[in-house]
């Protein structure tokens, strides 16, 4: 028995030594796995975005983009998020929905912007989608639901339009797991709190969706992809109550109205 | 590996069986089943089929099975680590790649050792692997001195 334990100990020591030896090699620098993953995600994001653009017209208005950038600037600044790394697209659709895409893209449907009451609520939704991106929820969901092999074949150019449509639909209409949604909720709340943007706006969004659900269920896609709204609003209120109170910045309502008017009137 | 513990009287039939126990993992690889789990299943089936054979055969079937079990465990850790990166919150880092490199070294060593042991046992020789040999002695009941099979130190 002593011999057995001795040999086991020596074997484990040798394995540890080999492992320690190999850790001296900077594999991450040589193989650059993160950069390769990001490139693949970016390509997948572009492919999916093209599918959405085929289905819905993009509202590409520099004035609207400038407005979005201005209201999101505090959020990015306060949370050390590079605004250049995130692309936000507005697509014309009656559906009330927003979703994050691989490659750090966020898609807002114009129906959602029409639906929310103010810029804080729009920021809250965008913050929630950015939280999904920052926590790598989008790719984790795709890897789980589509599979790594399928994703690799997609980014290597081996794909068909039907499959891309299927994935696009999966992203737009399927919810994340409850754990991931809670994580994104909490992150979004923290982002807003740090940026001095009233985090209650996120609570209001969930309440607004919960109240409106049933009146226009076909169009309220965001609620179907973000279930248990009342529970989540309650949870967020509890999280917020635990934070020290502070004053929050205000946003110009006139600019918000102009933004919405420009969206409705946009004609390429 | 050690081959100096016993002088064993081994007949042709036993030598072939013992050698085949090591070859089972090779057969699984050659059949295109490169996953260690299939090698483990193959050696386990062979072990079950030969557990009533002579001490020499049982001993080597057990050592072959344990070697595959060790591989499955070490490779399983690497697989679980990879899954935690792809589906969990972990990221690729040097520790992970170092572990993969270590796995490659272990698998390669095991592969070479398996070939050498299969050749040696086919000739009636006896090779005990480090740690696994001692563990096999613990698990496989040695025959009584009055039994037909004898071991000469």
């Amino acid at each position: 028995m002593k011999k057995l334990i001795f040999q086991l100990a020596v074997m484990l020591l040798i394995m540890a030594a080999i492992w320690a030896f190999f850790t001296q090699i900077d594999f991450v620098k040589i193989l650059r796995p993160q950069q390769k993953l990001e490139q693949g995600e970016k390509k997948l994001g572009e492919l999916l975005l093209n599918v959405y653009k085929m289905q819905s017209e993009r509202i590409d208005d520099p004035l609207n983009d400038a407005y979005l950038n201005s209201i999101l600037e505090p959020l990015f600044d306060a949370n050390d998020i590079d605004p250049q790394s995130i692309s936000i697209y507005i697509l014309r659709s009656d559906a009330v929905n927003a979703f994050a895409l691989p490659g750090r893209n966020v898609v807002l449907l114009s129906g959602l912007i029409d639906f929310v009451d103010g810029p804080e609520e729009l920021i809250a939704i965008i913050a929630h989608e950015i939280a999904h991106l920052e926590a790598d929820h989008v790719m984790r969901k795709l890897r789980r639901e589509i599979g790594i092999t399928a994703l690799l074949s997609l980014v290597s150019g081996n794909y068909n339009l039907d499959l891309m449509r299927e994935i696009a639909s999966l992203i737009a209409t399927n919810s994340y797991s409850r754990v991931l949604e809670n994580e994104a909720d909490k992150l979004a709340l923290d982002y807003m709190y740090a940026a001095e943007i009233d985090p209650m706006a996120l609570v209001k969004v969930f309440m607004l969706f919960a109240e409106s659900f049933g009146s226009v269920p076909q169009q309220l896609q965001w609620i179907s992809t973000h279930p248990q709204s009342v529970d989540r609003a309650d949870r967020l209120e509890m999280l917020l109550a635990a934070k020290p109170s502070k004053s929050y910045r205000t946003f110009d309502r006139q600019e918000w109205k102009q933004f919405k008017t420009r969206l409705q009137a946009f004609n390429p | 590996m050690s081959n100096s513990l016993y002088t064993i009287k081994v007949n042709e039939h036993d030598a072939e069986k013992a050698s085949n126990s090591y070859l089972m993992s090779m057969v699984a690889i050659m059949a295109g089943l490169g996953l260690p789990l299939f090698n483990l299943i193959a050696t386990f089936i062979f072990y079950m089929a030969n557990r009533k054979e002579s001490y020499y055969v049982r001993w080597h079937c057990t050592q072959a099975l344990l070697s595959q079990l060790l591989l499955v465990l070490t490779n399983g850790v690497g697989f679980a680590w990879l899954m935690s990166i792809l589906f969990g919150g972990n990221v690729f880092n040097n520790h992970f790649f170092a572990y993969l490199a270590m796995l490659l070294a272990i698998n390669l060593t095991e592969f070479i050792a398996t070939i050498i042991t299969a050749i040696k046992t086919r000739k009636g020789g006896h090779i005990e692997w480090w740690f696994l040999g001692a563990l096999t002695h613990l698990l496989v009941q040695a025959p009584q001195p009055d039994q037909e099979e004898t071991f000469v130190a």
Side-chain angles (χ1 to χ4, degrees), chain A residues 1 3-4 6-8 10-11 15 18-19 22-23 25-29 31 33-34 37 140 143-144 148, chain B residues 5 70 74 81 85-89 91-95 97-99 101-102 106 130-131 134-135 138:
Chain A
M1 193 54 143
K3 183 185 171 189
L4 183 76
F6 170 75
Q7 289 191 350
L8 174 65
V10 171
M11 189 179 75
M15 283 166 74
I18 295 171
W19 188 9
F22 281 124
T23 54
I25 303 169
D26 195 350
F27 287 103
V28 172
K29 195 176 176 183
L31 301 171
Q34 209 54 42
L37 275 179
R140 274 155 74 180
R143 283 182 208 122
R144 186 168 288 132
I148 294 152
Chain B
L5 268 181
L70 185 72
T74 50
W81 198 339
I85 291 169
L86 295 176
F87 300 107
V91 292
F92 288 109
N93 57 27
N94 283 336
H95 286 97
F97 287 113
Y99 189 83
M102 185 193 73
I106 290 175
W130 183 268
F131 170 66
L135 186 60
L138 205 70

Side-chain angles (χ1 to χ4, degrees), chain A residues 101-120:
Chain A
L101 287 182
R104 297 179 73 73
N105 298 303
V106 174
V107 172
L108 302 173
L109 300 186
S110 57
L112 176 96
I113 299 169
D114 279 341
F115 184 75
V116 294
D117 289 335
E120 292 89 348

Side-chain angles (χ1 to χ4, degrees), chain B:
Chain B
M1 285 189 289
S2 155
N3 59 2
S4 60
L5 268 181
Y6 299 103
T7 303
I8 305 167
K9 292 175 182 173
V10 181
N11 62 38
E12 176 67 17
H13 170 79
D14 286 353
E16 192 178 355
K17 287 263 181 183
S19 178
N20 285 348
S21 70
Y22 295 99
L23 288 177
M24 284 315 290
S25 59
M26 304 289 158
V27 169
I29 291 168
M30 282 185 274
L33 308 171
L35 288 170
L37 189 62
F38 289 106
N39 301 348
L40 178 69
I41 293 167
T43 48
F44 179 72
I45 292 168
F46 197 79
Y47 166 81
M48 291 304 284
N50 291 288
R51 67 188 193 281
K52 299 262 177 356
E53 291 284 335
S54 69
Y55 177 53
Y56 181 76
V57 174
R58 278 186 288 123
W59 197 96
H60 282 284
C61 282
T62 306
Q63 181 166 261
L65 178 64
L66 289 175
S67 73
Q68 293 307 315
L69 191 64
L70 185 72
L71 269 195
V72 165
L73 289 175
T74 50
N75 289 349
V77 170
F79 183 74
W81 198 339
L82 178 66
M83 291 299 108
S84 78
I85 291 169
L86 295 176
F87 300 107
N90 288 339
V91 292
F92 288 109
N93 57 27
N94 283 336
H95 286 97
F96 170 72
F97 287 113
Y99 189 83
L100 285 192
M102 185 193 73
L103 279 188
L104 187 69
I106 290 175
N107 278 270
L108 202 63
T109 307
E110 194 274 345
F111 185 77
I112 293 164
T114 299
I115 293 171
I116 294 169
T117 313
I119 294 168
K120 186 86 177 172
T121 47
R122 186 67 189 84
K123 291 172 184 167
H126 178 75
I127 290 184
E128 287 185 18
W129 291 19
W130 183 268
F131 170 66
L132 294 180
L135 186 60
T136 306
H137 275 304
L138 205 70
L139 295 174
V140 183
Q141 189 76 41
Q144 297 302 311
D146 58 337
Q147 284 182 282
E148 189 184 331
E149 208 171 10
T150 55
F151 293 80
V152 183

